[in-house]
Amino acid sequence: MSVSTSSSFFKLGTHTQLDFPVQNVVIHVISSPTEGGWEGVNSTIIELNTKLILIDLPLHYGVAKEIRSFCNASGKDIHRIVITHEHPDHWMGTFAFSDHDIFAQSSTIEFIAKNGDGILALKKNQLPVDYLPESVYVPNCSFDELEDLVDGIHIKWSIARQLEYQSAFYAEIPELSLLVA
């Protein structure tokens, strides 16, 4: 495994890349800014041989659009987009991927459907509207625990409970000895 940082594609977010050349996997971690009241959150792209898996899409819509542009430029299909939990800094960027299925726990989907518009209105009073989405896109697919085999890589989706929030997804990738949360 090797680690590098790059800002060539990401101007608003900070990009860190972990390469696993033996398995032909690259993990991209895009960190949103924290300056100016933004909630710095990490969004993760698991880049496999022919597919991408996205985990969390940030509150900062400019960063979410950079992630979308990166995915488009890769030429790879998006296999799955997963929102780990109900905090808005993990799902507000779903609007940039409203043409894709987006997965979350049913409780997270219900929370966003019930509270998303109010949270967006509140954020529009607190943060520059240039970097907020026009509206909320509610994830449209739910699952609990799941095991995926994507491009020959096993990904086990599990739920951590009794956290600072109700519960959250995390992904285990045994071939890489890696946990993404």
Side-chain angles (χ1 to χ4, degrees), residues 1-8 10 14-21 25-31 47 70:
M1 177 188 78
S2 65
V3 178
S4 62
T5 57
S6 168
S7 61
S8 61
F10 295 93
T14 304
H15 176 243
T16 303
Q17 180 173 313
L18 293 89
D19 292 300
F20 297 87
V25 176
V26 180
I27 307 294
H28 303 273
V29 179
I30 299 89
S31 302
E47 182 178 359
F70 177 86

PDB file of all heavy atoms in Angstrom, residues 1-8 10 14-21 25-31 47 70:
ATOM      1  N   MET A   1       0.849  -1.176   0.000  1.00  0.00           N
ATOM      2  CA  MET A   1       0.000   0.000   0.000  1.00  0.00           C
ATOM      3  C   MET A   1       0.892   1.234   0.000  1.00  0.00           C
ATOM      4  O   MET A   1       1.906   1.283   0.663  1.00  0.00           O
ATOM      5  CB  MET A   1      -0.890   0.004   1.244  1.00  0.00           C
ATOM      6  CG  MET A   1      -1.744   1.244   1.328  1.00  0.00           C
ATOM      7  SD  MET A   1      -2.655   1.443   2.876  1.00  0.00           S
ATOM      8  CE  MET A   1      -1.383   2.022   3.942  1.00  0.00           C
ATOM      9  N   SER A   2       0.474   2.248  -0.743  1.00  0.00           N
ATOM     10  CA  SER A   2       1.158   3.539  -0.715  1.00  0.00           C
ATOM     11  C   SER A   2       0.130   4.642  -0.536  1.00  0.00           C
ATOM     12  O   SER A   2      -1.033   4.484  -0.909  1.00  0.00           O
ATOM     13  CB  SER A   2       1.974   3.755  -1.999  1.00  0.00           C
ATOM     14  OG  SER A   2       1.103   3.836  -3.112  1.00  0.00           O
ATOM     15  N   VAL A   3       0.563   5.741   0.057  1.00  0.00           N
ATOM     16  CA  VAL A   3      -0.323   6.864   0.346  1.00  0.00           C
ATOM     17  C   VAL A   3       0.237   8.104  -0.335  1.00  0.00           C
ATOM     18  O   VAL A   3       1.435   8.361  -0.294  1.00  0.00           O
ATOM     19  CB  VAL A   3      -0.428   7.114   1.869  1.00  0.00           C
ATOM     20  CG1 VAL A   3      -1.323   8.309   2.157  1.00  0.00           C
ATOM     21  CG2 VAL A   3      -0.936   5.881   2.588  1.00  0.00           C
ATOM     22  N   SER A   4      -0.659   8.872  -0.964  1.00  0.00           N
ATOM     23  CA  SER A   4      -0.243  10.139  -1.558  1.00  0.00           C
ATOM     24  C   SER A   4      -1.358  11.151  -1.399  1.00  0.00           C
ATOM     25  O   SER A   4      -2.510  10.799  -1.177  1.00  0.00           O
ATOM     26  CB  SER A   4       0.108   9.952  -3.040  1.00  0.00           C
ATOM     27  OG  SER A   4      -1.029   9.514  -3.753  1.00  0.00           O
ATOM     28  N   THR A   5      -0.990  12.418  -1.480  1.00  0.00           N
ATOM     29  CA  THR A   5      -1.996  13.475  -1.464  1.00  0.00           C
ATOM     30  C   THR A   5      -1.897  14.228  -2.775  1.00  0.00           C
ATOM     31  O   THR A   5      -0.820  14.344  -3.354  1.00  0.00           O
ATOM     32  CB  THR A   5      -1.800  14.450  -0.281  1.00  0.00           C
ATOM     33  OG1 THR A   5      -0.490  14.988  -0.357  1.00  0.00           O
ATOM     34  CG2 THR A   5      -2.000  13.748   1.041  1.00  0.00           C
ATOM     35  N   SER A   6      -3.023  14.698  -3.235  1.00  0.00           N
ATOM     36  CA  SER A   6      -3.064  15.371  -4.525  1.00  0.00           C
ATOM     37  C   SER A   6      -4.169  16.404  -4.496  1.00  0.00           C
ATOM     38  O   SER A   6      -5.205  16.199  -3.888  1.00  0.00           O
ATOM     39  CB  SER A   6      -3.339  14.346  -5.630  1.00  0.00           C
ATOM     40  OG  SER A   6      -3.654  14.996  -6.824  1.00  0.00           O
ATOM     41  N   SER A   7      -3.929  17.520  -5.152  1.00  0.00           N
ATOM     42  CA  SER A   7      -4.977  18.529  -5.254  1.00  0.00           C
ATOM     43  C   SER A   7      -5.259  18.869  -6.710  1.00  0.00           C
ATOM     44  O   SER A   7      -5.915  19.845  -6.994  1.00  0.00           O
ATOM     45  CB  SER A   7      -4.580  19.796  -4.475  1.00  0.00           C
ATOM     46  OG  SER A   7      -3.393  20.330  -5.025  1.00  0.00           O
ATOM     47  N   SER A   8      -4.755  18.060  -7.636  1.00  0.00           N
ATOM     48  CA  SER A   8      -4.898  18.384  -9.050  1.00  0.00           C
ATOM     49  C   SER A   8      -6.356  18.382  -9.505  1.00  0.00           C
ATOM     50  O   SER A   8      -6.729  19.166 -10.357  1.00  0.00           O
ATOM     51  CB  SER A   8      -4.070  17.421  -9.910  1.00  0.00           C
ATOM     52  OG  SER A   8      -4.534  16.104  -9.725  1.00  0.00           O
ATOM     53  N   PHE A  10      -9.112  18.192  -7.138  1.00  0.00           N
ATOM     54  CA  PHE A  10      -9.974  18.772  -6.107  1.00  0.00           C
ATOM     55  C   PHE A  10      -9.426  20.132  -5.696  1.00  0.00           C
ATOM     56  O   PHE A  10      -8.305  20.243  -5.213  1.00  0.00           O
ATOM     57  CB  PHE A  10     -10.069  17.827  -4.909  1.00  0.00           C
ATOM     58  CG  PHE A  10     -10.758  16.544  -5.252  1.00  0.00           C
ATOM     59  CD1 PHE A  10     -10.034  15.433  -5.648  1.00  0.00           C
ATOM     60  CD2 PHE A  10     -12.145  16.456  -5.216  1.00  0.00           C
ATOM     61  CE1 PHE A  10     -10.674  14.247  -5.996  1.00  0.00           C
ATOM     62  CE2 PHE A  10     -12.789  15.286  -5.566  1.00  0.00           C
ATOM     63  CZ  PHE A  10     -12.049  14.181  -5.951  1.00  0.00           C
ATOM     64  N   THR A  14      -9.835  18.382  -0.027  1.00  0.00           N
ATOM     65  CA  THR A  14      -8.481  17.863   0.036  1.00  0.00           C
ATOM     66  C   THR A  14      -8.521  16.371  -0.269  1.00  0.00           C
ATOM     67  O   THR A  14      -9.337  15.645   0.290  1.00  0.00           O
ATOM     68  CB  THR A  14      -7.883  18.095   1.445  1.00  0.00           C
ATOM     69  OG1 THR A  14      -7.952  19.486   1.749  1.00  0.00           O
ATOM     70  CG2 THR A  14      -6.444  17.624   1.508  1.00  0.00           C
ATOM     71  N   HIS A  15      -7.644  15.920  -1.133  1.00  0.00           N
ATOM     72  CA  HIS A  15      -7.675  14.545  -1.634  1.00  0.00           C
ATOM     73  C   HIS A  15      -6.477  13.757  -1.103  1.00  0.00           C
ATOM     74  O   HIS A  15      -5.338  14.193  -1.219  1.00  0.00           O
ATOM     75  CB  HIS A  15      -7.639  14.583  -3.165  1.00  0.00           C
ATOM     76  CG  HIS A  15      -7.578  13.241  -3.809  1.00  0.00           C
ATOM     77  ND1 HIS A  15      -6.516  12.849  -4.579  1.00  0.00           N
ATOM     78  CD2 HIS A  15      -8.441  12.200  -3.816  1.00  0.00           C
ATOM     79  CE1 HIS A  15      -6.728  11.625  -5.043  1.00  0.00           C
ATOM     80  NE2 HIS A  15      -7.888  11.216  -4.587  1.00  0.00           N
ATOM     81  N   THR A  16      -6.753  12.605  -0.512  1.00  0.00           N
ATOM     82  CA  THR A  16      -5.711  11.659  -0.112  1.00  0.00           C
ATOM     83  C   THR A  16      -6.012  10.340  -0.804  1.00  0.00           C
ATOM     84  O   THR A  16      -7.167   9.923  -0.885  1.00  0.00           O
ATOM     85  CB  THR A  16      -5.703  11.451   1.422  1.00  0.00           C
ATOM     86  OG1 THR A  16      -5.516  12.723   2.051  1.00  0.00           O
ATOM     87  CG2 THR A  16      -4.591  10.502   1.847  1.00  0.00           C
ATOM     88  N   GLN A  17      -4.976   9.706  -1.304  1.00  0.00           N
ATOM     89  CA  GLN A  17      -5.143   8.478  -2.086  1.00  0.00           C
ATOM     90  C   GLN A  17      -4.324   7.351  -1.465  1.00  0.00           C
ATOM     91  O   GLN A  17      -3.148   7.526  -1.180  1.00  0.00           O
ATOM     92  CB  GLN A  17      -4.687   8.749  -3.518  1.00  0.00           C
ATOM     93  CG  GLN A  17      -4.789   7.578  -4.442  1.00  0.00           C
ATOM     94  CD  GLN A  17      -4.475   7.981  -5.866  1.00  0.00           C
ATOM     95  OE1 GLN A  17      -4.979   8.997  -6.355  1.00  0.00           O
ATOM     96  NE2 GLN A  17      -3.656   7.195  -6.546  1.00  0.00           N
ATOM     97  N   LEU A  18      -4.963   6.206  -1.261  1.00  0.00           N
ATOM     98  CA  LEU A  18      -4.287   5.003  -0.779  1.00  0.00           C
ATOM     99  C   LEU A  18      -4.322   3.986  -1.913  1.00  0.00           C
ATOM    100  O   LEU A  18      -5.403   3.596  -2.356  1.00  0.00           O
ATOM    101  CB  LEU A  18      -4.996   4.431   0.446  1.00  0.00           C
ATOM    102  CG  LEU A  18      -4.959   5.267   1.706  1.00  0.00           C
ATOM    103  CD1 LEU A  18      -6.134   6.223   1.737  1.00  0.00           C
ATOM    104  CD2 LEU A  18      -4.986   4.365   2.911  1.00  0.00           C
ATOM    105  N   ASP A  19      -3.171   3.575  -2.374  1.00  0.00           N
ATOM    106  CA  ASP A  19      -3.081   2.624  -3.483  1.00  0.00           C
ATOM    107  C   ASP A  19      -2.798   1.225  -2.953  1.00  0.00           C
ATOM    108  O   ASP A  19      -1.889   1.031  -2.144  1.00  0.00           O
ATOM    109  CB  ASP A  19      -1.963   3.036  -4.442  1.00  0.00           C
ATOM    110  CG  ASP A  19      -2.283   4.315  -5.170  1.00  0.00           C
ATOM    111  OD1 ASP A  19      -3.297   4.347  -5.877  1.00  0.00           O
ATOM    112  OD2 ASP A  19      -1.515   5.293  -5.030  1.00  0.00           O
ATOM    113  N   PHE A  20      -3.570   0.265  -3.449  1.00  0.00           N
ATOM    114  CA  PHE A  20      -3.364  -1.156  -3.177  1.00  0.00           C
ATOM    115  C   PHE A  20      -3.136  -1.836  -4.522  1.00  0.00           C
ATOM    116  O   PHE A  20      -4.058  -2.411  -5.109  1.00  0.00           O
ATOM    117  CB  PHE A  20      -4.587  -1.749  -2.465  1.00  0.00           C
ATOM    118  CG  PHE A  20      -4.849  -1.155  -1.112  1.00  0.00           C
ATOM    119  CD1 PHE A  20      -5.620  -0.006  -0.975  1.00  0.00           C
ATOM    120  CD2 PHE A  20      -4.326  -1.743   0.027  1.00  0.00           C
ATOM    121  CE1 PHE A  20      -5.863   0.537   0.278  1.00  0.00           C
ATOM    122  CE2 PHE A  20      -4.561  -1.210   1.286  1.00  0.00           C
ATOM    123  CZ  PHE A  20      -5.335  -0.063   1.413  1.00  0.00           C
ATOM    124  N   PRO A  21      -1.924  -1.739  -5.073  1.00  0.00           N
ATOM    125  CA  PRO A  21      -1.680  -2.195  -6.450  1.00  0.00           C
ATOM    126  C   PRO A  21      -1.878  -3.692  -6.663  1.00  0.00           C
ATOM    127  O   PRO A  21      -2.294  -4.095  -7.745  1.00  0.00           O
ATOM    128  CB  PRO A  21      -0.237  -1.767  -6.726  1.00  0.00           C
ATOM    129  CG  PRO A  21       0.368  -1.513  -5.395  1.00  0.00           C
ATOM    130  CD  PRO A  21      -0.744  -1.160  -4.453  1.00  0.00           C
ATOM    131  N   VAL A  25      -6.860  -1.774  -6.352  1.00  0.00           N
ATOM    132  CA  VAL A  25      -7.852  -0.967  -5.647  1.00  0.00           C
ATOM    133  C   VAL A  25      -7.197   0.341  -5.228  1.00  0.00           C
ATOM    134  O   VAL A  25      -6.048   0.355  -4.783  1.00  0.00           O
ATOM    135  CB  VAL A  25      -8.393  -1.701  -4.394  1.00  0.00           C
ATOM    136  CG1 VAL A  25      -9.348  -0.814  -3.609  1.00  0.00           C
ATOM    137  CG2 VAL A  25      -9.082  -3.004  -4.791  1.00  0.00           C
ATOM    138  N   VAL A  26      -7.942   1.430  -5.376  1.00  0.00           N
ATOM    139  CA  VAL A  26      -7.492   2.729  -4.898  1.00  0.00           C
ATOM    140  C   VAL A  26      -8.596   3.290  -4.004  1.00  0.00           C
ATOM    141  O   VAL A  26      -9.773   3.282  -4.375  1.00  0.00           O
ATOM    142  CB  VAL A  26      -7.206   3.709  -6.061  1.00  0.00           C
ATOM    143  CG1 VAL A  26      -6.748   5.062  -5.532  1.00  0.00           C
ATOM    144  CG2 VAL A  26      -6.184   3.130  -7.022  1.00  0.00           C
ATOM    145  N   ILE A  27      -8.202   3.756  -2.828  1.00  0.00           N
ATOM    146  CA  ILE A  27      -9.141   4.401  -1.917  1.00  0.00           C
ATOM    147  C   ILE A  27      -8.865   5.898  -1.983  1.00  0.00           C
ATOM    148  O   ILE A  27      -7.729   6.339  -1.746  1.00  0.00           O
ATOM    149  CB  ILE A  27      -8.964   3.903  -0.460  1.00  0.00           C
ATOM    150  CG1 ILE A  27      -9.035   2.375  -0.386  1.00  0.00           C
ATOM    151  CG2 ILE A  27      -9.971   4.587   0.464  1.00  0.00           C
ATOM    152  CD1 ILE A  27     -10.363   1.768  -0.727  1.00  0.00           C
ATOM    153  N   HIS A  28      -9.874   6.673  -2.336  1.00  0.00           N
ATOM    154  CA  HIS A  28      -9.769   8.128  -2.388  1.00  0.00           C
ATOM    155  C   HIS A  28     -10.546   8.684  -1.204  1.00  0.00           C
ATOM    156  O   HIS A  28     -11.732   8.356  -1.037  1.00  0.00           O
ATOM    157  CB  HIS A  28     -10.371   8.682  -3.679  1.00  0.00           C
ATOM    158  CG  HIS A  28      -9.766   8.126  -4.926  1.00  0.00           C
ATOM    159  ND1 HIS A  28      -8.647   8.671  -5.504  1.00  0.00           N
ATOM    160  CD2 HIS A  28     -10.120   7.061  -5.693  1.00  0.00           C
ATOM    161  CE1 HIS A  28      -8.339   7.982  -6.591  1.00  0.00           C
ATOM    162  NE2 HIS A  28      -9.218   6.995  -6.725  1.00  0.00           N
ATOM    163  N   VAL A  29      -9.902   9.507  -0.406  1.00  0.00           N
ATOM    164  CA  VAL A  29     -10.574  10.172   0.710  1.00  0.00           C
ATOM    165  C   VAL A  29     -10.568  11.665   0.403  1.00  0.00           C
ATOM    166  O   VAL A  29      -9.506  12.266   0.229  1.00  0.00           O
ATOM    167  CB  VAL A  29      -9.881   9.885   2.051  1.00  0.00           C
ATOM    168  CG1 VAL A  29     -10.595  10.610   3.188  1.00  0.00           C
ATOM    169  CG2 VAL A  29      -9.828   8.385   2.316  1.00  0.00           C
ATOM    170  N   ILE A  30     -11.749  12.239   0.302  1.00  0.00           N
ATOM    171  CA  ILE A  30     -11.886  13.651  -0.001  1.00  0.00           C
ATOM    172  C   ILE A  30     -12.414  14.331   1.251  1.00  0.00           C
ATOM    173  O   ILE A  30     -13.512  14.030   1.722  1.00  0.00           O
ATOM    174  CB  ILE A  30     -12.827  13.902  -1.206  1.00  0.00           C
ATOM    175  CG1 ILE A  30     -12.268  13.233  -2.460  1.00  0.00           C
ATOM    176  CG2 ILE A  30     -12.978  15.394  -1.455  1.00  0.00           C
ATOM    177  CD1 ILE A  30     -12.710  11.820  -2.658  1.00  0.00           C
ATOM    178  N   SER A  31     -11.618  15.239   1.794  1.00  0.00           N
ATOM    179  CA  SER A  31     -11.980  15.942   3.021  1.00  0.00           C
ATOM    180  C   SER A  31     -12.529  17.312   2.669  1.00  0.00           C
ATOM    181  O   SER A  31     -11.893  18.080   1.943  1.00  0.00           O
ATOM    182  CB  SER A  31     -10.761  16.096   3.932  1.00  0.00           C
ATOM    183  OG  SER A  31     -10.218  14.824   4.242  1.00  0.00           O
ATOM    184  N   GLU A  47     -12.242   2.829  -5.495  1.00  0.00           N
ATOM    185  CA  GLU A  47     -12.089   2.655  -6.937  1.00  0.00           C
ATOM    186  C   GLU A  47     -11.585   1.247  -7.210  1.00  0.00           C
ATOM    187  O   GLU A  47     -10.460   0.883  -6.848  1.00  0.00           O
ATOM    188  CB  GLU A  47     -11.113   3.685  -7.506  1.00  0.00           C
ATOM    189  CG  GLU A  47     -10.955   3.590  -8.998  1.00  0.00           C
ATOM    190  CD  GLU A  47     -10.026   4.647  -9.579  1.00  0.00           C
ATOM    191  OE1 GLU A  47      -9.495   5.484  -8.825  1.00  0.00           O
ATOM    192  OE2 GLU A  47      -9.826   4.613 -10.803  1.00  0.00           O
ATOM    193  N   PHE A  70     -15.043  13.936 -10.693  1.00  0.00           N
ATOM    194  CA  PHE A  70     -14.008  12.911 -10.595  1.00  0.00           C
ATOM    195  C   PHE A  70     -14.558  11.556 -11.038  1.00  0.00           C
ATOM    196  O   PHE A  70     -13.917  10.834 -11.816  1.00  0.00           O
ATOM    197  CB  PHE A  70     -13.484  12.841  -9.159  1.00  0.00           C
ATOM    198  CG  PHE A  70     -12.457  11.776  -8.934  1.00  0.00           C
ATOM    199  CD1 PHE A  70     -11.122  12.027  -9.178  1.00  0.00           C
ATOM    200  CD2 PHE A  70     -12.821  10.527  -8.476  1.00  0.00           C
ATOM    201  CE1 PHE A  70     -10.160  11.044  -8.973  1.00  0.00           C
ATOM    202  CE2 PHE A  70     -11.879   9.537  -8.266  1.00  0.00           C
ATOM    203  CZ  PHE A  70     -10.537   9.792  -8.526  1.00  0.00           C
TER     204      PHE A  70
END
